[in-house]
Amino acid sequence: MRTDTIAAIATAVSDSGIGIIRVSGDGAIENIDKIYRSKSEKKRLTDVRSHTIHYGFIYDGEELIDEVMVLVMKAPNTYTKEDTVEIDCHGGILVMRKILETVIKNGCRLAEAGEFTKRAFLNGRIDLSKAEAIMDLIHSKNEFALKASVQQLKGSVSDKVKSLRGDILYEIAFIESALDDPEHISLDGYCEKLEQMALSVKKDLGKLIDTADNGKLLKDGIHTVIVGKPNVGKSSLLNLIVGEEKAIVTSVAGTTRDALEEYVKLNGIGLNIIDTAGIRDTKDEVERIGVERARTYANNADLIIYVVDASRKLDENDREIVKLISDKKVIVLLNKTDLDQVVSDSELMTLVSEINHLRIIKTSTKENIGIDEFENVIKEMFFGGSIVVNDEIYITSERHKEALLEAYESMDLVLKSLADDMPEDFYSIDLMSAYAALGRIIGEEVGEDVVNEIFSKFCMGK
Ligand SMILES: Nc1nc2c(ncn2[C@@H]2O[C@H](COP(=O)(O)OP(=O)(O)OP(=O)(O)O)[C@@H](O)[C@H]2O)c(=O)[nH]1
Ligand SMILES: [Mg+2]
């Protein structure tokens, strides 16, 4: 069956040095041949060898559009495993669009977002976890994210998943054969062997799941929200961490109204850090909305930085804030310690006693005191002090984590059935579920809707 031929601009749609129009499908070479003319006008792209580059011009009928280089790559050694042509043109927006239009007029259709990579997946060149890794790689915001996605693209996640699935499948097959042919295959003593295997698979799954939370935080950054009463130094802190005067700082309480978000890197850890309006009861309509937003952001945060002004008495607003954040990871900054301290250590301890996950640091954003300690504390709080980004496999996708958790639970059920002396077909049902759950990570046993959802997040031309 012939596939339709898709085309898209593969480079950023902005004025740049070169632009690339990418074309893939059975008609790729023929279609582009219709609009390509070599200098001598004798060369036909349909005759050239695979993986070669050709200089020439793109014409729309008799109208010359651009001077180009054309790459011809025949299936199957291409990104999509289909015949692929790339047109390198001059990188003007208008030129790229005109070439794309001409390509489409000549038998191609506009590709959907991620459709090239989707074809690579559907044609079996990459599995789903690798396709996701390609997308992560493009969107990487820091070195960890980049490293983790390259590892995943190289197959770290799929290899591990495939090997675990292999182990599980072996047992399923063994049980099935033994049940089919009890005369020749005995299940005597098998339970101990299966138990060993189930324990070992469960342990491996547990290890992978444990990397998921850190993996996700390292990849996306820690969602950090600065909260506190008005005028305690929240915006000053943001500016200090970011290293720029991003937020307005004044001595007027209620300066920050709208939340302000910045991405910063501290010791290799990404923080999505949000400065919010000081929380207090207020009649001012605009400020009130700001305070509401602060509460919402605080609710969704991975980390709260609660700033307290050491030079002013604690009050009802502080108690209110503590209630809001008591089940979060919180770093309390006792700020303005360069001034006379009005808040005693014991008063502060009493105030924050209901917060479970807590560190307190004395700071002065004015004199840059305590900020180094603050950075170290973040590391300790989230990564046990050290971040090892070597060859360990990190799970960075929520989708993968869910599948691993499901497989983990199924293995647990296998162990339970063993402990309860259940009949063998009970084991195979749960082994099958674990096998299927793991299959979803690499794209086996996923529905079309999941596949479409994943690829729709890609950019055009990828
Ligand atoms: N002495 C001293 N003053 C500080 C310190 N940090 C901030 N300030 C001052 O405190 C005032 C308020 O600072 P901001 O950073 O605007 O405080 P905020 O918490 O963002 O205030 P709102 O946006 O109104 O909620 C400014 O005049 C700052 O210069 C500090 O560590 N020591
Ligand atoms: Mg502020």
Side-chain angles (χ1 to χ4, degrees):
M1 199 185 75
R2 266 177 82 89
T3 57
D4 55 353
T5 300
I6 53 172
I9 297 172
T11 42
V13 184
S14 61
D15 291 334
S16 53
I18 55 170
I20 298 177
I21 320 296
R22 188 184 220 183
V23 185
S24 174
D26 289 340
I29 300 172
E30 273 164 51
N31 293 347
I32 303 309
D33 186 54
K34 288 190 245 168
I35 59 173
Y36 166 85
R37 289 187 205 169
S38 66
K39 206 165 181 194
S40 64
E41 300 202 5
K42 281 202 192 109
K43 193 192 307 176
R44 305 290 308 267
L45 294 179
T46 42
D47 299 332
V48 303
R49 279 190 302 125
S50 182
H51 292 75
T52 50
I53 303 179
H54 308 275
Y55 171 75
F57 304 89
I58 295 292
Y59 278 81
D60 178 8
E62 285 313 306
E63 184 194 352
L64 171 64
I65 311 234
D66 196 13
E67 177 193 33
V68 295
M69 300 289 288
V70 177
L71 280 71
V72 176
M73 293 167 280
K74 293 184 186 164
N77 292 327
T78 66
Y79 185 71
T80 53
K81 280 189 115 178
E82 300 172 339
D83 282 350
T84 298
V85 177
E86 286 180 15
I87 304 173
D88 281 17
C89 61
H90 291 113
I93 296 174
L94 195 60
V95 157
M96 291 191 275
R97 291 235 164 100
K98 281 205 100 168
I99 293 180
L100 181 63
E101 266 169 39
T102 312
V103 167
I104 285 169
K105 258 197 266 173
N106 283 273
C108 303
R109 87 165 153 78
L110 189 62
E112 288 161 23
E115 199 172 0
F116 292 91
T117 312
K118 185 174 170 185
R119 287 187 172 199
F121 165 65
L122 293 174
N123 293 330
R125 197 181 72 80
I126 51 172
D127 67 38
L128 202 52
S129 79
K130 288 185 184 171
E132 290 171 305
I134 291 170
M135 181 167 61
D136 287 346
L137 192 138
I138 293 170
H139 295 302
S140 293
K141 277 194 280 190
N142 59 48
E143 278 119 77
F144 169 81
L146 186 61
K147 201 158 174 176
S149 50
V150 171
Q151 288 262 18
Q152 188 172 323
L153 184 57
K154 267 169 58 194
S156 62
V157 174
S158 18
D159 290 350
K160 184 72 200 167
V161 165
K162 281 179 192 156
S163 128
L164 290 171
R165 282 185 104 212
D167 294 347
I168 296 171
L169 189 62
Y170 177 87
E171 306 302 333
I172 297 171
F174 186 83
I175 296 171
E176 297 296 319
S177 331
L179 293 176
D180 278 353
D181 188 5
E183 278 173 31
H184 294 102
I185 306 176
S186 158
L187 281 169
D188 286 350
Y190 174 68
C191 287
E192 288 77 46
K193 193 176 154 266
L194 181 62
E195 189 182 7
Q196 286 310 311
M197 174 271 175
L199 282 171
S200 137
V201 169
K202 203 180 123 182
K203 192 167 149 219
D204 282 3
L205 290 171
K207 266 199 219 153
L208 287 175
I209 293 165
D210 284 345
T211 68
D213 291 339
N214 284 356
K216 207 172 161 315
L217 287 177
L218 284 169
K219 181 182 131 209
D220 298 338
I222 299 171
H223 278 278
T224 309
V225 177
I226 310 176
V227 298
K229 276 188 309 196
N231 210 39
V232 293
K234 298 181 295 300
S235 301
S236 308
L237 176 73
L238 179 85
N239 289 346
L240 192 62
I241 296 174
V242 176
E244 270 181 74
E245 298 299 308
K246 288 280 186 179
I248 301 171
V249 168
T250 73
S251 57
V252 180
T255 298
T256 305
R257 301 298 186 88
D258 217 348
L260 177 69
E261 180 163 2
E262 290 292 325
Y263 181 82
V264 283
K265 254 173 64 179
L266 303 179
N267 294 324
I269 305 170
L271 298 188
N272 287 304
I273 190 163
I274 301 179
D275 177 26
T276 62
I279 293 181
R280 66 170 169 186
D281 243 347
T282 170
K283 298 249 165 350
D284 182 307
E285 177 69 7
V286 180
E287 192 184 350
R288 205 179 47 73
I289 297 171
V291 171
E292 251 342 284
R293 288 197 180 167
R295 290 173 197 277
T296 311
Y297 282 117
N299 250 326
N300 298 325
D302 299 321
L303 170 67
I304 299 282
I305 303 172
Y306 170 33
V307 186
V308 175
D309 182 345
S311 70
R312 268 189 301 152
K313 279 268 165 237
L314 297 171
D315 61 23
E316 206 35 55
N317 289 317
D318 286 297
R319 279 180 275 278
E320 180 56 48
I321 293 168
V322 168
K323 255 190 238 146
L324 182 72
I325 60 175
S326 59
D327 62 344
K328 296 276 175 187
K329 287 189 180 176
V330 180
I331 300 180
V332 178
L333 299 187
L334 188 61
N335 193 36
K336 304 202 190 180
T337 46
D338 54 292
L339 301 176
D340 283 343
Q341 195 163 334
V342 173
V343 179
S344 73
D345 288 359
S346 65
E347 274 173 311
L348 184 65
M349 287 310 293
T350 314
L351 173 76
V352 298
S353 60
E354 61 186 276
I355 301 174
N356 296 321
H357 222 96
L358 173 78
R359 293 291 295 263
I360 299 176
I361 304 170
K362 293 190 175 173
T363 57
S364 162
T365 43
K366 190 171 168 205
E367 308 204 332
N368 198 353
I369 296 171
I371 303 303
D372 290 345
E373 190 183 347
F374 167 73
E375 296 184 8
N376 287 329
V377 164
I378 291 183
K379 224 184 193 176
E380 280 167 31
M381 261 187 147
F382 283 86
F383 307 103
S386 64
I387 303 174
V388 205
V389 188
N390 42 26
D391 289 340
E392 194 178 342
I393 304 172
Y394 272 92
I395 298 299
T396 53
S397 145
E398 193 57 35
R399 198 180 74 79
H400 298 177
K401 184 184 169 188
E402 275 167 24
L404 289 167
L405 280 170
E406 205 178 305
Y408 186 88
E409 275 162 28
S410 298
M411 293 314 289
D412 229 13
L413 289 175
V414 172
L415 287 164
K416 218 158 154 258
S417 307
L418 282 166
D420 295 348
D421 260 338
M422 302 295 270
E424 280 78 10
D425 24 355
F426 272 81
Y427 318 150
S428 24
I429 293 173
D430 293 322
L431 286 170
M432 271 314 284
S433 316
Y435 181 77
L438 291 177
R440 293 210 308 269
I441 295 176
I442 52 177
E444 282 177 30
E445 330 222 4
V446 287
E448 200 182 333
D449 45 341
V450 176
V451 171
N452 288 340
E453 159 85 20
I454 288 171
F455 288 102
S456 68
K457 293 189 191 127
F458 274 65
C459 19
M460 290 302 290
K462 189 66 204 176

